[in-house]
Amino acid sequence: MCGATRTGQPAVLVVGGAVAGLAAADALADHAAVTLYEREPYDEKRVNCGEAINDTSLIPLELTPENGFVNDIDGFQLEIYQGTDRPPGSNPLGTCSLECQPGYICDRNVVERQWARQLEARGVEVRDGHPLSIPEYCDRLAEYDYVVDATGQPSLTLRAFDLEQQYSGDMVALNADVEGEFAAYETRPRIFFEGYVGYAWSFPKSSSRANIGIGWAGKRRPDDYFAAFEAACQRAQIPVPGREETNIDTIPKGPSLAPEYLAFPDEGLFLVGDAAGIANRYQGEGICQAIRSSYLLAELILDGREAAYPARLHASMRPEYRLAHLMRGVWIEHRDPTLLAALVRALDGLTIEEITSNPRVVYRRLLRHPKLTTQLLAHRGMLRRFLDAYTGSWEYTRRAG
């Protein structure tokens, strides 16, 4: 590599200016000459997916509306329904309140714009409104000591090397901001599980504005995504956005890429966030995971141990991947909404962090419900998932459900 600056600091290229790229630039800004490329102008960027940030302590901004942090929530309410063939406003089979004290519902475009401005003030060269083509990207690889690919899934790197098939799959999500009446659950946003592998949501940004959406992670997906979104809004009795107001996004299904595709240490090239395929297979979250992956990579670069990034990333995500693999199995193996409702009732009161990344806490809670635990493990598919989750054999296979 030949990008070292005159000051002796390494030259770092970060491609992708959403939260993963911003976090990488932030963590390296004091130790390197960082250039950040973002394809959209921050003043025009439209981001409506990922408006719930469960751990805002990861973002080095004051938690104010001016910085995009618009609703300080207590947690989330999960609601389990028999299926999509139900009348509007019908009662759920079961509910579960999950605590999330560091969480906010955000205007994420504002969060990213303010973060980028803060980075510019610290000396990061921010080139927004500047998409890189594959040839342009390849030309720049030799100009920098380190390149951080935070471009999303499929990443620019794997597209350039014709390796897009290495991802385990994707999730399709539709979302929009709407005006309405949301005071009844302003501090505890709602998530609706309705029998398909995925969910819908209503995340209030205030008593009169919310981000709403729906996502599918399984193989069965609707022929008309917007019609399915519209029907979900009607069932939940929330406003239906217009097609022109609705975004559609493709995001990782998880787990992360195999180690050989996460990093190319000899070239100083590393993938973070969505580009690395990182996402929670159970509830779709990827924002905090993306930020943490960037901070981990930066820490290792600064310690001169960047080659350890794939192994360290896997170790940090492994508890979350285990739980997600097992929780997802309740949908796929049992196909029983009543059982899923019983499960979420058993987990009521836990935190988002516990339910996503602390298997021991979840197992201890389930042991209080021996009949439910026996039902969950009585299926051969669930036993196989449990074995896979603790041997790692499912981790990098695209066949994993």
Side-chain angles (χ1 to χ4, degrees):
M1 308 296 287
C2 57
T5 62
R6 291 179 180 177
T7 63
Q9 288 186 319
V12 177
L13 171 65
V14 179
V15 186
V19 290
L22 292 165
D26 190 279
L28 293 168
D30 293 337
H31 309 278
V34 180
T35 301
L36 172 69
Y37 278 85
E38 163 54 37
R39 61 186 178 88
E40 296 183 74
Y42 280 110
D43 288 337
E44 301 173 12
K45 193 173 183 183
R46 182 180 177 184
V47 183
N48 285 113
C49 192
E51 301 281 80
I53 299 180
N54 293 337
D55 185 358
T56 50
S57 68
L58 296 169
I59 300 177
L61 294 172
E62 189 177 355
L63 302 178
T64 64
E66 293 76 19
N67 285 334
F69 300 95
V70 292
N71 184 16
D72 183 359
I73 61 173
D74 296 328
F76 296 88
Q77 175 164 296
L78 309 187
E79 302 176 14
I80 311 300
Y81 294 89
Q82 186 70 41
T84 57
D85 185 18
R86 62 182 179 87
S90 56
N91 292 325
L93 298 173
T95 63
C96 170
S97 291
L98 299 176
E99 304 306 308
C100 188
Q101 293 304 320
Y104 270 78
I105 307 300
C106 303
D107 284 324
R108 210 179 105 193
N109 58 324
V110 178
V111 174
E112 292 180 1
R113 181 174 67 242
Q114 295 296 91
W115 199 350
R117 287 176 176 171
Q118 180 172 284
L119 289 173
E120 282 188 303
R122 292 174 57 197
V124 173
E125 183 177 356
V126 176
R127 299 181 182 178
D128 59 329
H130 197 136
L132 288 179
S133 66
I134 289 175
E136 289 174 324
Y137 175 64
C138 292
D139 287 344
R140 282 167 172 76
L141 292 181
E143 299 175 7
Y144 293 86
D145 296 292
Y146 299 100
V147 176
V148 180
D149 185 342
T151 54
Q153 179 179 324
S155 70
L156 200 51
T157 300
L158 296 199
R159 285 165 52 205
F161 301 148
D162 195 25
L163 293 170
E164 297 171 64
Q165 71 276 11
Q166 297 302 324
Y167 290 104
S168 62
D170 61 24
M171 301 173 66
V172 174
L174 278 71
N175 53 88
D177 277 10
V178 295
E179 303 290 330
E181 177 52 58
F182 305 103
Y185 56 95
E186 184 177 354
T187 62
R188 198 167 288 277
R190 300 166 70 192
I191 300 175
F192 313 95
F193 292 94
E194 300 180 295
Y196 54 90
V197 183
Y199 59 88
W201 68 86
S202 180
F203 292 170
K205 296 185 175 184
S206 69
S207 61
S208 59
R209 182 168 69 103
N211 177 257
I212 62 172
I214 187 170
W216 296 269
K219 295 179 180 179
R220 295 176 56 190
R221 299 183 182 185
D223 295 327
D224 185 332
Y225 284 116
F226 185 80
F229 186 21
E230 182 178 23
C233 292
Q234 292 168 347
R235 291 191 298 272
Q237 297 184 310
I238 54 181
V240 178
R243 286 181 181 263
E244 68 283 353
E245 301 164 339
T246 301
N247 301 316
I248 183 165
D249 297 281
T250 299
I251 57 179
K253 186 173 71 173
S256 55
L257 290 166
E260 61 267 31
Y261 304 113
L262 280 172
F264 306 84
D266 291 343
E267 288 76 31
L269 173 57
F270 303 88
L271 280 62
V272 296
D274 285 9
I278 298 169
N280 184 293
R281 279 196 157 193
Y282 173 56
Q283 38 84 304
E285 184 194 0
I287 297 174
C288 294
Q289 291 87 337
I291 295 172
R292 291 188 182 108
S293 72
S294 294
Y295 288 158
L296 172 62
L297 173 61
E299 174 190 335
L300 293 170
I301 287 175
L302 295 176
D303 286 347
R305 297 184 293 119
E306 60 269 18
Y309 171 66
R312 286 285 304 277
L313 179 65
H314 176 77
S316 69
M317 293 295 300
R318 188 168 178 79
E320 185 164 345
Y321 287 154
R322 280 175 171 162
L323 268 178
H325 192 56
L326 294 170
M327 297 291 280
R328 188 179 170 89
V330 180
W331 292 334
I332 295 174
E333 309 296 350
H334 287 283
R335 301 183 184 276
D336 183 353
T338 303
L339 187 61
L340 180 59
L343 174 61
V344 300
R345 285 196 297 268
L347 300 178
D348 185 70
L350 296 182
T351 67
I352 286 287
E353 182 180 0
E354 288 170 336
I355 200 174
T356 57
S357 57
N358 196 325
R360 290 183 180 181
V361 170
V362 173
Y363 299 160
R364 283 199 297 267
R365 180 61 68 90
L366 287 177
L367 288 175
R368 300 181 189 175
H369 305 270
K371 183 178 179 180
L372 170 61
T373 303
T374 300
Q375 286 180 282
L376 289 171
L377 294 178
H379 194 287
R380 181 181 300 175
M382 285 300 296
L383 290 174
R384 184 181 62 248
R385 282 176 175 269
F386 195 86
L387 176 64
D388 287 348
Y390 281 87
T391 61
S393 63
W394 63 277
E395 169 68 11
Y396 298 115
T397 175
R398 295 191 300 277
R399 294 188 299 275

